[in-house]
Amino acid sequence: MTDTPRQPDLSTQIAEHLPYLRRYARALTGNQQTGDHYALATLEALLEDRTVFNAGLAPKPALFHAFHKIWVSSGAPIAEADSASSPEARAQWRLSTLTPNTREALLLHSIEGFRVSDIAQIIGGTADEVSTLLSIARTEMTNAISGRIMIIEDEAIIAMDIRAIVEDMGHDVTGIARTRDEAVKLARRDPPDMILADIQLADKSSGIDAVNHILTELGERPIVFITAFPERLLTGERPEPAFLITKPYSEEQVQSAVSQAMFFASTETLQG
């Protein structure tokens, strides 16, 4: 007689997918602290009421569905101030002009890799409705803002691929840097509106260090980090990036992350 394999307990199932819930929440809110707050609120809700975790879904969609219920119940945090009064107010004003659930659908699909059918379970509705939301999101987000982007990437083929993607989106590329020192010099010579940075660079220098140095000199601006190990930067234990995509990436992931980041005029940075 063979033993029936034991199913992982709820805490184990949640722990496996929590880093990616943090990534989604941060990209959705444009802020590490706010995103992690919503992720924590989801965990607290699950501790208080296990039925919030829909046992009829696979563990990852069930966790994101629980988050979505918390997110929707709290209401979208739209600033009341004039759209030109502050970077945060401008970002929230732009968000208020978007069709409801479009950003959620886009992030779930392009960054987190959920299928349309999974997204329908997470946010509610049908697969056809989700497909429509995705189509609207791509148009609204891509056409919303264009700017000047600097790329920090030591692999030439990847750098050129990213350059082609962002230029096809209508952005200008100020240049490509392979090391921390090159990045700092390029930013001084031609200040970008946004930076898209790998974390591990050619000479063993850090893309994180490069970005922090640039932001110290030039001031806050949107950042998207690229890494092969995203879970290392999604712990919630220290200052971490709000926008993060994983290698190997897809064209849609880059498009979505860049579009989301450009919606926000400031970003979380990492220390050291």
Side-chain angles (χ1 to χ4, degrees):
M1 180 177 178
T2 58
D3 294 333
T4 302
R6 292 184 60 186
Q7 294 295 320
D9 60 25
L10 181 59
S11 61
T12 301
Q13 295 179 55
I14 291 173
E16 180 181 355
H17 303 296
L18 182 58
Y20 305 101
L21 183 69
R22 284 198 178 102
R23 173 170 64 181
Y24 171 66
R26 293 174 185 181
L28 191 61
T29 62
N31 181 277
Q32 177 194 345
Q33 184 176 2
T34 305
D36 286 354
H37 168 78
Y38 276 100
L40 177 61
T42 302
L43 297 182
E44 292 174 344
L46 290 172
L47 288 174
E48 292 180 5
D49 182 3
R50 294 297 181 95
T51 64
V52 173
F53 193 84
N54 189 332
L57 303 179
K60 189 174 182 181
L63 178 61
F64 278 70
H65 175 66
F67 172 91
H68 187 74
K69 291 173 68 175
I70 300 294
W71 173 250
V72 171
S73 68
S74 69
I78 304 301
E80 297 294 335
D82 180 79
S83 63
S85 62
S86 70
E88 293 78 9
R90 288 196 299 273
Q92 294 299 338
W93 177 81
R94 288 193 296 267
L95 291 174
S96 72
T97 67
L98 300 178
T99 304
N101 277 336
T102 51
R103 290 180 60 248
E104 291 85 342
L106 183 62
L107 287 169
L108 290 168
H109 179 66
S110 62
I111 301 298
E112 300 307 328
F114 283 108
R115 298 171 300 178
V116 168
S117 57
D118 293 327
I119 299 171
Q121 293 177 325
I122 291 169
I123 68 175
T126 67
D128 286 344
E129 288 170 342
V130 170
S131 294
T132 299
L133 288 174
L134 288 171
S135 179
I136 294 171
R138 293 185 184 106
T139 300
E140 289 182 336
M141 293 297 296
T142 302
N143 294 341
I145 301 173
S146 61
R148 295 161 47 75
I149 297 178
M150 183 176 80
I151 298 169
I152 307 175
E153 169 61 60
D154 63 333
E155 297 185 45
I157 293 176
I158 293 177
M160 295 306 296
D161 183 52
I162 292 173
R163 178 174 197 146
I165 292 171
V166 299
E167 287 182 340
D168 285 346
M169 294 174 67
H171 303 293
D172 294 323
V173 174
T174 64
I176 297 171
R178 297 180 65 251
T179 67
R180 175 189 180 279
D181 290 345
E182 286 182 16
V184 172
K185 290 177 182 177
L186 175 59
R188 287 171 178 165
R189 184 172 69 247
D190 197 352
D193 299 316
M194 174 183 166
I195 302 171
L196 204 158
D198 193 3
I199 288 178
Q200 296 181 342
L201 303 178
D203 61 349
K204 308 302 181 183
S205 60
S206 167
I208 294 169
D209 289 344
V211 165
N212 280 332
H213 191 116
I214 292 166
L215 296 186
T216 298
E217 288 194 6
L218 303 182
E220 297 294 320
R221 59 208 60 220
I223 310 294
V224 173
F225 281 107
I226 306 174
T227 177
F229 306 101
E231 64 279 357
R232 296 179 184 176
L233 297 173
L234 295 167
T235 66
E237 297 174 354
R238 59 184 184 277
E240 296 173 330
F243 299 100
L244 188 68
I245 57 178
T246 306
K247 286 184 174 180
Y249 58 82
S250 68
E251 179 177 348
E252 188 175 29
Q253 283 181 314
V254 176
Q255 291 172 337
S256 179
V258 169
S259 295
Q260 300 284 339
M262 291 292 280
F263 254 70
F264 297 91
S266 62
T267 185
E268 304 300 316
T269 61
L270 298 170
Q271 301 301 321

